[in-house]
Amino acid sequence: MKKLLLCLICLCANLQAQEVSIDSNYVNTINSQTLQLRQQGKYTEAIKLNDNLLSSFKGDTSSYYFAKTLHARSRVEIDLGTYDAAITSAKRSKVIYDRLNLKSEVAAMENIIGVGFYFKSQLDSTLYYYNRSYDLKKQFEKDTIQLAISIFNIGIVHENLGKYDKAIKTYHEAESLLNSTTEKAVFMSDLYVALSNLYRKRNNLYKARSYAQLALKESVEKYGEDILGDDALFLIGTIYEDRLNEKEKAKEVYRNFLIQYPGSNKAAEARKRFRTLRGDFL
């Protein structure tokens, strides 16, 4: 009898272990499906799927898998534009990750909270959470490009706040990180354009032009005709025209722009500037 009872206990334990395994696999599958729907732009469907999954946890609202489900939800809520909800979901997830000492996940939540505040135009709060996320990432993150993305985003906030010197310094930190690795970052052109714009605002025209040319070179080398190629070339033209008063060089840049990027949203402005410099409207 005792032997039979022991066997039954072991059987129950095995069944419970299998049930936990099945549950975790189910949660992972549904969260993956949620994020796939998000990538497809099906945000409402993604939230409904997430709602159903959250309801299945019942009283178990402190587990890693519950935090992971809230994590996925916060990303969809950002895309839906429900920023308060996204911040709430991310904070709830972060509490659990903190308790489990999962630094990578905590850093991700700090970043999502920052993104939520960014879209709410609460830039001081954005900066606070971006910095917390970046400081945490520096403790464990081995991917240099991921670190560069974090510091680049901090630079964007400094620029939005009108703190141009801080933004320039921060962008250069990102540049140094990217130059320290052989792996190419897709946002290198964005970084160069940002630096060019800031140096132009600071009236450092030599650096403004240099970084615009770097942005253009990076775009052409990596993508042929990257979407930022037109931004960089147009920027070079405006520097020659508005700041350096080198009208002939500006005219040549605008001519090349219209040949290379006839479908750009800046084409109409480039055509107008080219014709004005050519004397059509005089």
Side-chain angles (χ1 to χ4, degrees), residues 52-259:
N52 291 335
L53 181 55
L54 283 174
S55 66
S56 72
F57 283 92
K58 302 188 184 302
D60 182 18
T61 58
S62 60
S63 70
Y64 165 75
Y65 292 102
F66 187 74
K68 193 173 182 180
T69 303
L70 287 171
H71 184 159
R73 184 181 188 85
S74 67
R75 294 174 66 184
V76 179
E77 288 170 333
I78 288 288
D79 292 322
L80 276 171
T82 54
Y83 304 125
D84 287 326
I87 290 168
T88 298
S89 295
K91 284 184 174 180
R92 290 176 68 194
S93 179
K94 175 183 168 300
V95 167
I96 300 170
Y97 287 148
D98 259 327
R99 180 174 53 79
L100 297 172
N101 197 31
L102 298 172
K103 291 184 179 181
S104 176
E105 285 81 357
V106 171
M109 292 301 92
E110 300 274 17
N111 186 72
I112 288 177
I113 294 167
V115 171
F117 279 119
Y118 182 82
F119 286 117
K120 283 167 58 67
S121 299
Q122 296 180 21
L123 298 183
D124 287 331
S125 294
T126 300
L127 198 57
Y128 172 77
Y129 283 102
Y130 276 1
N131 276 315
R132 282 173 62 98
S133 177
Y134 180 59
D135 289 342
L136 196 53
K137 283 181 180 179
K138 286 189 291 186
Q139 298 177 28
F140 66 83
E141 184 61 72
K142 304 301 180 186
D143 189 332
T144 302
I145 289 181
Q146 288 301 314
L147 288 173
I149 290 172
S150 291
I151 195 67
F152 176 64
N153 287 337
I154 291 170
I156 290 173
V157 181
H158 281 311
E159 183 176 355
N160 291 161
L161 287 167
K163 299 176 180 178
Y164 298 142
D165 290 335
K166 279 190 175 181
I168 288 172
K169 181 182 177 182
T170 307
Y171 286 148
H172 278 306
E173 286 183 47
E175 182 186 20
S176 296
L177 283 168
L178 293 177
N179 287 334
S180 71
T181 178
T182 55
E183 188 179 353
K184 283 288 185 180
V186 295
F187 69 99
M188 194 67 149
S189 296
D190 303 71
L191 177 58
Y192 287 149
V193 168
L195 280 165
S196 179
N197 276 321
L198 284 175
Y199 276 121
R200 184 171 60 161
K201 288 175 181 177
R202 280 286 178 255
N203 211 33
N204 188 330
L205 302 183
Y206 173 77
K207 285 191 174 181
R209 181 172 54 183
S210 295
Y211 276 104
Q213 290 169 337
L214 281 172
L216 182 61
K217 181 174 180 289
E218 179 73 20
S219 298
V220 171
E221 284 182 356
K222 194 167 182 66
Y223 302 106
E225 289 193 5
D226 171 51
I227 55 172
L228 282 173
D230 58 341
D231 286 343
L233 191 57
F234 185 80
L235 186 58
I236 291 170
T238 61
I239 291 169
Y240 276 128
E241 180 185 5
D242 300 334
R243 299 303 182 94
L244 298 176
N245 200 32
E246 297 184 23
K247 306 301 184 185
E248 286 303 313
K249 285 186 178 181
K251 187 168 69 174
E252 185 63 27
V253 170
Y254 293 138
R255 180 188 290 112
N256 290 336
F257 181 97
L258 293 169
I259 293 170

